[in-house]
Amino acid sequence: MFYIKAPTGQISFHILEKCVLDRLEYLQLLYENKNHEFNGDFEYLLENSAYDKIGHFILRLLASVSEKLYNYWIAKEILFFQTRLNYILPRQLHKLFRSILCQLGEFTDKKKLINKTLNDICIFFLKPLVFKHLVSKNHTKNCNLYKIKVRFEVIPDLITKRKLDLNDGYITIYCSKWKKLFKSLFCTYITKQVICMKAKAQYIINQDTRLNYLYYKIHSKIFKENCQTSIKYRYITKENIDKEVKNFPLCMQHLHIKLRKTHRLSHYARLYYSLFLKDGGMQLEDAINYWKEEYSKPHTCSSTCSHNWQMNERKFIYSIRHFYGLEGSKKNYKSPTCEMMCMSASSSVYEGGCPFKNFDINILKNLLCLSLSNDHITKVLNAISSQNPQIACAEFFKILNQRNKSNIIINSPLQYYFKMINQI
C-alpha cells in the first residue's frame, strides 16, 4: 500500500500490461467518482498483492520519464491511497505500520529524512496505548490526546495549505490528523523516489522494448495523441535511420549499409541488427515498415536468405513481434554484446561479426573511410588488438565523439550508441 520495496520474480508481459492498464482505468474512474463503473479485473488491484505492486511500480517507472504522465498519474495514485486509508480496518492498519517498518529495515539509507520520519511515526503509532486509542470509537476528529513532531520538509503540502502550525522547523501532528499525515508522507515519498529514478529510467525503458511499447501505448491512450512529438528523448525511426547510422558502432553501420545495398541479411546478421534497433528505441511499427521496405525489393547478394516480404509477410511480422516480446514466449530478447559479436560463427555468407576482429583489413579500411580521415584511420588500425578489439572500437568512438575525452570501455553496440547520443 505504501510501495517501498518493488516486487521481484518473473511475470508474463500480457499480465504485466493488464496490471498497468486496469490500474490506470480504475484510477481515472476513481478520480471522476465513477469507480463503480470499473469493468476490469479487481484481482490486479487487491491491496499488497503482487499484481497491485507491479501495476504501481511500472507506472512509477514510466511516469518518471514524462512530466505530463507523472502529473496525470500522481494525483490519482494519492487519491487511491487516501481512499484505502478511509476504509482501512484496525487489523489492516496495524499490518501497514509493521510492513512499512519491515521494508524500511531492508534499506541502507535509513538516515534519509523521509525514511527516518516514516520509521519514527510507525513506531509511535504502534505503541499499544496509542494504537488502541487510534482505532477506538472514542477517537474523535479533533482529538489531541497524543502528538508527535515531524520536520516540515516531509509534509510540504500541509504547510502550503496552512493546515498545521510551524515552530522551529517542526510540525506538531495530533493523533486526529494521522490520515492527513500519512497521505502527505506518501506524496513526498513517491515524489522523491521518482526524482531518484529519473536518471536511469529512460535507459531502462530503452533497454526493454516491452516497457517502451507500453509507455507509448499508455501515453497515446491517456492523451489521445501521437506521443512521439511530445517526448524529448531520441529514438531510431524509419525516417531518421540513414542519418542516425553515423552514431552506430562500426559493426551495426556495416549491417545497415549491407542491408541497404543488397536488401537482405543472413539469419544471425538480421537477428542481431533487429535487436540492436529495437533496444535503440525503434518502435514496432517502424521496425515492420523498415524491414518491409528492404525485403520487398529483389535481393542482390549471395545471402542464404531468399525470402521476400510479399510471400512471407505473416512470418516476418510474427518474427519481428517475437523479437519485441509480443509473441510466443513473450521473452525480452536483448541486443548482442561485443563478446557475442566477436564470437559469431563466420561463413562465406555471414555479414556480421566485429569489424576489428573478424573483418579483412581492406574491408575494414573501406568502412573506416566512410567516417574518418587517413590519419585517423591509421590511429584506429594501430589500436587493433586481436585479444581486445574493443580498444580499437573505443578509439573509433573517441575520434568521432570529440565531446567525450574520458577513457571508455565498449561492452556492447547498444552501449556505444547510447554513449554517442549522450543518453548514458
Side-chain angles (χ1 to χ4, degrees), residues 234 244 247 401 403 416-423:
R234 189 168 179 174
E244 198 69 15
N247 295 312
N401 192 336
R403 295 166 298 178
Y416 177 105
Y417 173 65
F418 284 152
K419 280 281 188 184
M420 184 64 77
I421 63 174
N422 290 320
Q423 282 203 10

Side-chain angles (χ1 to χ4, degrees), residues 230-247:
S230 65
I231 301 173
K232 298 178 183 178
Y233 300 100
R234 189 168 179 174
Y235 293 94
I236 302 170
T237 68
K238 178 178 173 292
E239 285 69 34
N240 74 8
I241 191 168
D242 288 312
K243 293 181 178 178
E244 198 69 15
V245 71
K246 69 180 185 297
N247 295 312

Side-chain angles (χ1 to χ4, degrees), residues 129-164:
L129 288 177
V130 179
F131 185 80
K132 186 176 180 180
H133 173 71
L134 201 68
V135 298
S136 70
K137 294 180 180 179
N138 297 325
H139 187 230
T140 63
K141 292 182 179 180
N142 298 312
C143 180
N144 58 5
L145 181 62
Y146 293 101
K147 63 183 179 181
I148 186 171
K149 290 185 177 182
V150 299
R151 291 291 303 176
F152 75 94
E153 296 96 328
V154 295
I155 49 174
D157 56 326
L158 295 182
I159 301 298
T160 304
K161 295 174 183 177
R162 300 183 182 278
K163 297 204 171 183
L164 299 168

